[in-house]
Amino acid sequence: MNSHSIQRLHNDRTSRLSAFWNQRFQVSWGYTPSLLLLAIIFLTLFAGCFSNAFALEKGEKPESNIHNFQPPSKALFAFLQQVLRSSDTVRNLDESLLISQQGVLAAEHNFELRLVPLATLGASSGHDSQLIGMEGRKLFSGGQQLTVGAKGEQIQSDDYVITHSHSVNGYIRLSQGLFRRWDSNYTLYDLDRSQLQHQRQQLDNLRQIQSLLLTSARGYLDAVLTKLRWERGALSLKRSRLHYQEVESRFALGLVAKSDLYRARIALLNSENSLEKSRYQVSVAEQNLREQLAGGSVDVVVEIPQFTPVFPERWRQLLPDSRLEWSLLLLDNQLGGLAFAQAKRNLLPDISLDLSLEERGSSSSFTSAADALESSWSARLQLRSDLDNFAEQSALLRETINRGRRVREQEALRRKIAREVDDAWQGLQTAAKQRAIGSELLQQSHQSLELAQLRYQRGLSSNLELLDAEEQMHTAEMAVDSYEVEYVVAAFTLAHHLGILDMDWVALSLPAMTPP
């Protein structure tokens, strides 16, 4: 076979193979669009599931619509409202206020008419008596005590015969205290003290609610910050992983040194370690929030709320009267003054003037005894106090010492309030400056990272410069978040030390809560 025959045979085989594949292509062409569409859909779903699974496996946070639930300002306000509704601290405060209110009602009840039944019933051998009656007692604020009563008594004996065994008795008695119990200040001491203690409990509840608002806001913002750090860490881990893959590819082509590969691997491990630490901090922060809500659930918007604190123009002139601690100390001074006056009065003799008017009848039966009533009256002085007044003198000495101690505490509290407000004001100013510096630092770090990436891509520098720029960028982002949170916390702290921290102030300081 010559060369022409071989060439002709090869061309014939090539033409047959071409015709065969053209026919197969034309047959399967009608199914190709559907198959391609199904393949694309399958690959898309598979890639989405794989990416989410990979992100959860590595600790990254997948995409979420948590920002669309509500604005961050409203989320903070709603959380504080939820704390005031369902926290154990608020429930304990409500119970304490109810107990103090019951103390006031009990002191007031002492001045109401009290009905006291008189009854002695039983059986015994020998001499015995049976008594039944009713007595009304009324205490007045001036120290007078009025007693009105009626009773019937039967006396019996097995040893001898009692002629007048039945007696009936009606009486009115009036007792007026002298010296110690002469005026209403002494008699109303328990009522005045309980009322002041109730007012003190109300003010102390407001003070503890202010502290609760500060603590809750700090805890909520701490949770927001930890979740932001978690997201920042996930992005940093993603950048580190992409950089490591790029360095690994370049190292395989011999474009970079092995030291670059080592540095990229170390940076990737550090990012993974930081992300795991952030995950633990998020768990702790969420547990703290649930504990503040007595185990309730809370939604944290992962964004720092915009906060514009509002303070009175002349807030220094409001001090120290605007502080609840100062009002509590003033109430303590009033309580101490009442106790001191009471201790001085207790040194006076306790003498009472007792007046009584009585009708009494005795006979062999209650009917005949009621017909034989005779009237009588009496007036007498009664000494109720002991000659030993050591306990009263000790009580007066104790109240005198407490009185001087409260004077020193008042001056110390005045200095403490001024120092706390000055420190809180300086803290707010420092946080504002740090926030401005942090924003500029973040901008410079972003530009530095772009320049480092460009230099590395062009081969003008090693990945050490790029890794340093990425680390500076991550640190700047974390610093800006911290400065924003510190500014809001500093504003809450200043409002707390000024004594104006409440839900109205929070609503005024949150732009989203302020009506246009």
Side-chain angles (χ1 to χ4, degrees), residues 2 5 16 43 50 87 102 113 120 138 152 213 221 268 298 321 365 383 440 442 444 477 510:
N2 55 19
S5 299
R16 287 198 303 270
L43 291 176
F50 179 78
S87 66
Q102 287 299 119
L113 179 62
T120 303
K138 172 71 173 179
L213 288 176
L221 293 172
L268 178 60
V298 58
D321 295 334
S365 65
L383 179 62
E440 185 177 357
L442 180 61
Q444 296 295 328
E477 291 174 346
L510 291 172

Side-chain angles (χ1 to χ4, degrees), residues 280-481:
Y280 171 75
Q281 292 175 349
V282 168
S283 176
V284 172
E286 290 179 347
Q287 291 178 2
N288 293 334
L289 291 185
R290 286 193 293 268
E291 184 65 25
Q292 289 182 352
L293 297 177
S297 60
V298 58
D299 294 330
V300 178
V301 178
V302 191
E303 184 178 352
I304 302 173
Q306 296 295 326
F307 202 78
T308 306
V310 179
F311 299 106
E313 294 181 358
R314 300 179 180 179
W315 52 266
R316 291 187 181 275
Q317 298 180 2
L318 301 177
L319 299 173
D321 295 334
S322 61
R323 285 286 294 270
L324 293 176
E325 289 86 348
W326 185 260
S327 300
L328 289 173
L329 182 60
L330 295 181
L331 279 178
D332 289 338
N333 290 339
Q334 294 185 31
L335 288 170
L338 288 178
F340 181 78
Q342 192 80 349
K344 288 183 65 177
R345 292 295 293 271
N346 285 334
L347 291 177
L348 299 177
D350 188 7
I351 300 176
S352 64
L353 174 62
D354 297 334
L355 303 176
S356 65
L357 178 62
E358 182 178 3
E359 288 190 351
R360 183 181 180 87
S362 301
S363 185
S364 58
S365 65
F366 285 116
T367 304
S368 57
D371 296 335
L373 292 176
E374 296 180 356
S375 300
S376 64
W377 63 272
S378 66
R380 64 174 62 92
L381 293 176
Q382 183 180 0
L383 179 62
R384 300 180 177 179
S385 58
D386 299 334
L387 297 179
D388 183 11
N389 60 355
F390 177 78
E392 289 79 3
Q393 291 180 354
S394 299
L396 180 60
L397 178 61
R398 182 174 60 253
E399 295 301 329
T400 303
I401 294 175
N402 292 335
R403 192 176 187 180
R405 182 181 300 170
R406 283 191 296 270
V407 173
R408 297 191 299 271
E409 290 177 353
Q410 184 172 349
E411 296 301 323
L413 182 59
R414 188 190 301 271
R415 296 191 300 269
K416 178 184 177 182
I417 290 175
R419 183 176 64 254
E420 287 178 347
V421 172
D422 289 338
D423 293 344
W425 175 254
Q426 293 296 330
L428 181 62
Q429 298 299 315
T430 302
K433 294 178 181 178
Q434 288 180 339
R435 186 174 62 167
I437 295 174
S439 299
E440 185 177 357
L441 178 62
L442 180 61
Q443 182 180 2
Q444 296 295 328
S445 300
H446 183 71
Q447 296 176 357
S448 177
L449 178 60
E450 291 180 350
L451 180 60
Q453 290 175 345
L454 182 61
R455 288 175 53 84
Y456 180 74
Q457 292 173 358
R458 295 181 178 180
L460 300 178
S461 63
S462 64
N463 68 336
L464 180 61
E465 180 179 348
L466 179 59
L467 293 175
D468 290 340
E470 290 181 349
E471 181 65 24
Q472 291 177 2
M473 180 69 180
H474 180 65
T475 303
E477 291 174 346
M478 303 280 284
V480 168
D481 295 337

Side-chain angles (χ1 to χ4, degrees), residues 116-345:
V116 181
L118 306 175
T120 303
L121 304 174
S124 65
S125 60
H127 184 78
D128 191 16
S129 64
Q130 311 289 333
L131 175 67
I132 187 169
M134 182 68 69
E135 189 175 86
R137 301 172 184 175
K138 172 71 173 179
L139 178 64
F140 295 91
S141 60
Q144 305 87 7
Q145 184 170 359
L146 179 64
T147 304
V148 179
K151 61 182 179 180
E153 184 177 8
Q154 178 185 1
I155 302 175
Q156 58 185 8
S157 177
D158 297 337
D159 299 333
Y160 51 89
V161 177
I162 301 176
T163 305
H164 302 286
S165 60
H166 296 72
S167 63
V168 293
N169 187 10
Y171 52 88
I172 299 177
R173 298 170 185 169
L174 178 63
S175 178
Q176 172 63 60
L178 303 177
F179 300 103
R180 180 184 294 185
R181 304 176 186 270
W182 173 249
D183 57 2
S184 60
N185 292 331
Y186 190 91
T187 309
L188 295 177
Y189 170 72
D190 291 336
L191 179 59
D192 294 339
R193 183 183 60 179
S194 60
Q195 289 176 346
L196 288 177
Q197 287 177 345
H198 182 60
Q199 295 178 14
R200 191 186 189 284
Q201 186 64 50
Q202 289 177 328
L203 291 178
D204 189 63
N205 283 10
L206 293 177
R207 181 188 64 83
Q208 295 192 46
I209 286 177
Q210 287 186 351
S211 301
L212 178 63
L213 288 176
L214 176 61
T215 304
S216 302
R218 184 183 289 118
Y220 180 86
L221 293 172
D222 181 66
V224 172
L225 182 60
T226 53
K227 285 199 170 186
L228 280 175
R229 289 177 176 175
W230 184 31
E231 290 187 350
R232 303 287 191 191
L235 293 177
S236 177
L237 177 60
K238 183 178 181 180
R239 289 196 300 263
S240 298
R241 186 178 293 115
L242 292 176
H243 178 69
Y244 177 74
Q245 294 174 356
E246 182 181 0
V247 173
E248 193 176 24
S249 300
R250 290 192 174 194
F251 176 74
L253 298 175
L255 300 178
V256 296
K258 198 169 186 178
S259 58
D260 291 352
L261 183 63
Y262 290 156
R263 285 194 293 264
R265 181 61 180 172
I266 292 174
L268 178 60
L269 295 176
N270 289 333
S271 298
E272 292 178 351
N273 185 30
S274 178
L275 189 62
E276 291 299 324
K277 183 178 179 180
S278 298
R279 186 203 304 274
Y280 171 75
Q281 292 175 349
V282 168
S283 176
V284 172
E286 290 179 347
Q287 291 178 2
N288 293 334
L289 291 185
R290 286 193 293 268
E291 184 65 25
Q292 289 182 352
L293 297 177
S297 60
V298 58
D299 294 330
V300 178
V301 178
V302 191
E303 184 178 352
I304 302 173
Q306 296 295 326
F307 202 78
T308 306
V310 179
F311 299 106
E313 294 181 358
R314 300 179 180 179
W315 52 266
R316 291 187 181 275
Q317 298 180 2
L318 301 177
L319 299 173
D321 295 334
S322 61
R323 285 286 294 270
L324 293 176
E325 289 86 348
W326 185 260
S327 300
L328 289 173
L329 182 60
L330 295 181
L331 279 178
D332 289 338
N333 290 339
Q334 294 185 31
L335 288 170
L338 288 178
F340 181 78
Q342 192 80 349
K344 288 183 65 177
R345 292 295 293 271

Side-chain angles (χ1 to χ4, degrees), residues 13-71:
R13 183 181 298 175
T14 303
S15 61
R16 287 198 303 270
L17 288 175
S18 178
F20 173 77
W21 286 112
N22 288 334
Q23 183 180 5
R24 291 293 304 270
F25 182 77
Q26 291 176 358
V27 171
S28 62
W29 180 252
Y31 301 95
T32 302
S34 300
L35 293 176
L36 289 177
L37 181 60
L38 291 175
I40 292 173
I41 294 175
F42 175 78
L43 291 176
T44 302
L45 293 176
F46 179 78
C49 296
F50 179 78
S51 61
N52 284 337
F54 182 77
L56 292 176
E57 181 182 0
K58 293 299 183 179
E60 295 181 6
K61 186 177 185 300
E63 293 295 329
S64 174
N65 294 326
I66 191 170
H67 298 286
N68 297 329
F69 288 158
Q70 57 182 341

